[in-house]
Amino acid sequence: MASSRTFPDNPGPEQRFQALVEVMARLRGPQGCPWDREQTHQTLKPYLLEESYEVLHALDEGDDRELCRELGDVLLQVVFHAQIAAEEGRFDIYAVIDALREKLIRRHPHVFGNLTVQDAQEVTRNWEAIKAQEKAQEKSAASQDGRPASVLDGVSSRMPALIEARQLTERAAYYDFDWPDARAVLAKLEEETGELQAVLAQPAPNLPEIAEEVGDLLFVVVNLARKLGLDPEATLKAANQKFRRRFAAVEQALAAQGKTLAESDPAEMNAIWNAIKHAPASSSESHGG
């Protein structure tokens, strides 16, 4: 039940978070908002993902005002989920905070303990080692499907594929299972491209086999970005934005000729596209190349 306690209009630092928690409780309460009361963990899932992407967009734009708002929206999702759990007697937001605080202390023995580290890479190795030890203590050596526990178990299979691919190989790289440099990944990319071409050249190409080879190709591309110090998700997002700009420019060029896309043929559209692509950098292309 929502608290009847009220807060001053300008609460002090120690009251602000509690004020937020109680606002959420009131929204979920009997006299609260019908929409908020209807929500569940499942119905809120899309919003958590959406708000996370909004934060990434604000970071890319370098907009502090927007970043502040979007971080607030992500915090709302955390408080919302915790409130639902609290109503069901499972845990509350303070259990979330306590668990996070304890984990940060536990996984930073070089700060809160006596461990000495040389650099950030060693910190990451220790973090993963401690995390693996925690997982082993939480469950038996065998997973639910009878498979031995793996250091990759900590990478969620529910994440978007690009992020999962990057994190899987980042995790393997902690143990030096990795390509030595980007050139080696490029060589692997050529190998995978050749394998896909071989499958496509078969008299009766097998769709599952094609899908597997395309997946391998995408996996290697993700790792090429990683080895170059790029975020594959952000890199693809930038490419998407560039495609939007250029395609819109094609539409505008056709409209200037009194034509629509439906009234134009592929050769004409490609000619305009290539002209836009190779034109001197303009204000619309200065950020995308």
Side-chain angles (χ1 to χ4, degrees):
M1 178 179 294
S3 170
S4 60
R5 183 156 59 121
T6 60
F7 288 91
D9 292 336
N10 296 302
E14 73 284 355
Q15 296 176 310
R16 291 176 182 172
F17 188 75
Q18 180 61 26
L20 170 63
V21 172
E22 296 204 8
V23 166
M24 189 72 253
R26 181 171 178 180
L27 288 172
R28 290 277 299 179
Q31 305 302 317
C33 172
W35 185 89
D36 287 283
R37 292 201 306 268
E38 290 177 357
Q39 301 313 303
T40 67
H41 290 308
Q42 293 302 313
T43 63
L44 289 174
K45 284 169 60 177
Y47 300 105
L48 180 57
L49 183 61
E50 177 183 320
E51 299 301 350
S52 298
Y53 277 110
E54 293 290 349
V55 168
L56 296 179
H57 178 74
L59 287 170
D60 290 341
E61 294 295 313
D63 187 336
D64 282 350
R65 183 178 179 183
E66 188 67 15
L67 177 59
C68 182
R69 285 197 296 258
E70 297 302 341
L71 286 173
D73 289 342
V74 172
L75 178 58
L76 166 62
Q77 294 302 310
V78 175
V79 174
F80 210 146
H81 281 280
Q83 177 62 30
I84 293 173
E87 292 166 1
E88 298 172 357
R90 292 154 48 215
F91 60 84
D92 61 15
I93 188 63
Y94 297 102
V96 174
I97 293 172
D98 289 344
L100 175 58
R101 175 182 173 276
E102 291 167 5
K103 180 168 69 174
L104 288 174
I105 293 173
R106 190 169 61 249
R107 294 190 183 177
H108 290 84
H110 55 287
V111 176
F112 300 101
N114 299 320
L115 185 67
T116 300
V117 296
Q118 300 299 319
D119 50 31
Q121 184 175 7
E122 189 173 354
V123 170
T124 301
R125 286 179 180 271
N126 288 335
W127 176 284
E128 293 301 328
I130 295 169
K131 184 175 181 179
Q133 184 179 17
E134 291 170 357
K135 293 290 184 181
Q137 292 173 347
E138 292 173 359
K139 62 181 181 180
S140 62
S143 61
Q144 292 181 355
D145 58 6
R147 180 176 51 81
S150 168
V151 296
L152 300 182
D153 290 342
V155 178
S156 173
S157 61
R158 298 180 177 88
M159 291 186 297
L162 280 179
I163 299 175
E164 181 186 7
R166 187 194 72 215
Q167 291 195 4
L168 284 171
T169 47
E170 281 178 344
R171 187 68 56 88
Y174 296 148
Y175 301 92
D176 297 323
F177 188 80
D178 195 9
W179 288 277
D181 51 36
R183 292 180 183 275
V185 186
L186 275 173
K188 183 63 175 178
L189 186 62
E190 292 178 2
E191 176 188 327
E192 296 294 349
T193 301
E195 292 181 5
L196 177 58
Q197 290 173 337
V199 173
L200 293 173
Q202 295 175 358
N206 181 273
L207 186 57
E209 191 174 0
I210 292 173
E212 181 177 354
E213 295 300 338
V214 170
D216 291 344
L217 199 63
L218 289 170
F219 189 83
V220 175
V221 171
V222 168
N223 283 279
L224 177 60
R226 177 178 62 83
K227 293 299 287 186
L228 291 170
L230 301 171
D231 178 358
E233 177 72 20
T235 303
L236 181 57
K237 177 65 74 174
N240 291 343
Q241 293 170 345
K242 181 169 65 175
F243 182 85
R244 285 178 181 271
R245 290 195 302 271
R246 289 181 176 173
F247 195 81
V250 170
E251 292 177 296
Q252 293 167 9
L254 289 171
Q257 301 173 20
K259 293 183 177 181
T260 65
L261 291 173
E263 295 167 341
S264 306
D265 58 64
E268 184 177 16
M269 287 187 283
N270 280 324
I272 297 173
W273 176 279
N274 288 327
I276 294 168
K277 179 179 179 180
H278 297 294
S282 64
S283 60
S284 63
E285 286 292 309
S286 61
H287 299 294

